[in-house]
Amino acid sequence: MLDRIKASLPSLAPAEQRVGRLVLVDARAFANLPITELARRSHVSKPTVVRFCRSMGYDGLSDFKLKLAGSVSEGVPFIHRSVDVDDKTSDVVVKVIDNTVAAFLKYRNDASSSVIQKATDALEAACKAGKRIEFFGAGNSGIVAQDAQHKFFRLGVNTIAYSDGHMQVMSASLLGPGDCVVVISNSGRTRDLMDACDIARKNGATTIVITATGSPLAAAGNIHLAADHPEGYDRYSPMVSRLMHLMIIDILATCLALRIGSKLQPLLKEMKNNLRNKRYT
């Protein structure tokens, strides 16, 4: 992003060039400063700061600062570097957390809201029609599938989660038009998940896949929610992909909860009260 700004400077108006140079001098500070201070340091007006951001292809200052913060965070020390045997505990803490934060920021910048909306529409339609909603995953993705079932169950949505390949294939065989299945896999190359997804789609069910771009599973689903984070299996690396999948499930559950609306409030309140009554004081 910074390289693109630098290359674009000659084509900008002189006042906008001053804003661009301020970004290049200290991108982290630019992402955190209010527009009044940015204008003062650049010796331009506040509208000029906004014009610069739009000249770079962003909706405005807020959108520009959001993307800039993500770009800066992806370039901080330790990110995408392996843990070394000589690392101190403080180094390990920084590396693990920064890798995770960088992956989340990258997903935030790359995520397609239109695809997420399409997935939410499918889940809402299945929910309102009383159709089946199921979650399939294997290994660590199976844990995400179980968590997804829990989150949707809290919304009063009846769902099933399967992590066993045979159960996934058998369950997919029973799905039909109007049903919805969410298939989760980091690599997108698990045979059982591929088979289950193919069967469900052929039977008319809507298949939502959460997997890496370009994987076989990505092409097998009706709706693809791209989750791109390669895990380094030849060395230690944080299990960020599972956290990313959990975050995507959170987004879908929250979007569906907002669609359900006021009917959900008394249900959640009663659920919380019942759970509170079971706790020791």
Side-chain angles (χ1 to χ4, degrees), residues 14-278:
E16 293 177 12
Q17 289 181 13
R18 290 198 289 272
V19 181
R21 283 193 287 269
L22 182 64
V23 179
L24 297 174
V25 167
D26 192 345
R28 190 180 299 277
F30 191 99
N32 293 312
L33 290 173
I35 188 171
T36 302
E37 182 62 18
L38 293 174
R40 187 188 71 78
R41 294 191 183 191
S42 303
H43 305 290
V44 299
S45 65
K46 289 189 284 187
T48 300
V49 176
V50 176
R51 280 199 300 273
F52 163 77
C53 298
R54 289 176 176 163
S55 296
M56 298 307 303
Y58 299 92
D59 293 336
L61 179 60
S62 297
D63 184 42
F64 179 83
K65 290 171 72 174
L66 186 70
K67 302 300 192 302
L68 181 64
S71 180
V72 169
S73 294
E74 289 180 23
V76 300
F78 297 146
I79 286 183
H80 308 310
R81 284 173 48 192
S82 61
V83 174
D84 189 85
V85 292
D86 296 324
D87 282 342
K88 300 176 183 178
T89 302
S90 58
D91 294 331
V92 174
V93 170
V94 172
K95 288 182 179 182
V96 172
I97 293 176
D98 281 3
N99 268 285
T100 304
V101 171
F104 282 10
L105 287 171
K106 185 177 187 304
Y107 177 79
R108 180 188 65 184
N109 293 339
D110 296 343
S112 170
S113 57
S114 61
V115 177
I116 294 173
Q117 181 173 335
K118 188 183 296 184
T120 305
D121 291 341
L123 291 167
E124 181 187 16
C127 177
K128 289 184 175 179
K131 296 291 186 175
R132 297 173 63 176
I133 297 178
E134 301 189 356
F135 296 93
F136 296 168
N140 286 301
S141 298
I143 299 174
V144 178
Q146 295 289 339
D147 182 77
Q149 181 190 21
H150 171 72
K151 284 186 171 66
F152 278 74
F153 184 77
R154 287 183 66 247
L155 305 180
V157 180
N158 293 323
T159 62
I160 301 174
Y162 292 116
S163 56
D164 178 81
H166 288 86
M167 290 298 297
Q168 290 166 355
V169 170
M170 287 191 291
S171 183
S173 302
L174 300 174
L175 296 175
D179 294 327
C180 194
V181 59
V182 181
V183 186
I184 309 158
S185 173
N186 186 49
S187 68
R189 299 179 184 279
T190 305
R191 171 60 62 185
D192 288 337
L193 289 176
M194 286 289 298
D195 290 343
C197 187
D198 286 338
I199 293 169
R201 191 171 67 170
K202 287 176 181 177
N203 287 346
T206 300
T207 55
I208 301 170
V209 295
I210 301 175
T211 187
T213 301
S215 71
L217 185 60
N222 299 115
I223 302 170
H224 174 214
L225 296 175
D228 299 313
H229 184 79
E231 301 287 5
Y233 296 104
D234 57 336
R235 57 174 172 75
Y236 171 79
S237 65
M239 189 77 54
V240 176
S241 61
R242 186 173 71 184
L243 295 175
M244 185 180 295
H245 295 162
L246 288 169
M247 179 177 65
I248 295 172
I249 292 296
D250 264 349
I251 293 171
L252 293 176
T254 303
C255 288
L256 184 60
L258 293 173
R259 298 282 187 91
I260 296 173
S262 59
K263 294 180 180 179
L264 182 61
Q265 297 300 323
L267 175 66
L268 292 177
K269 185 176 181 180
E270 181 183 3
M271 193 181 298
K272 185 174 290 187
N273 288 337
N274 289 336
L275 290 172
R276 187 182 291 114
N277 292 336
K278 291 180 66 64

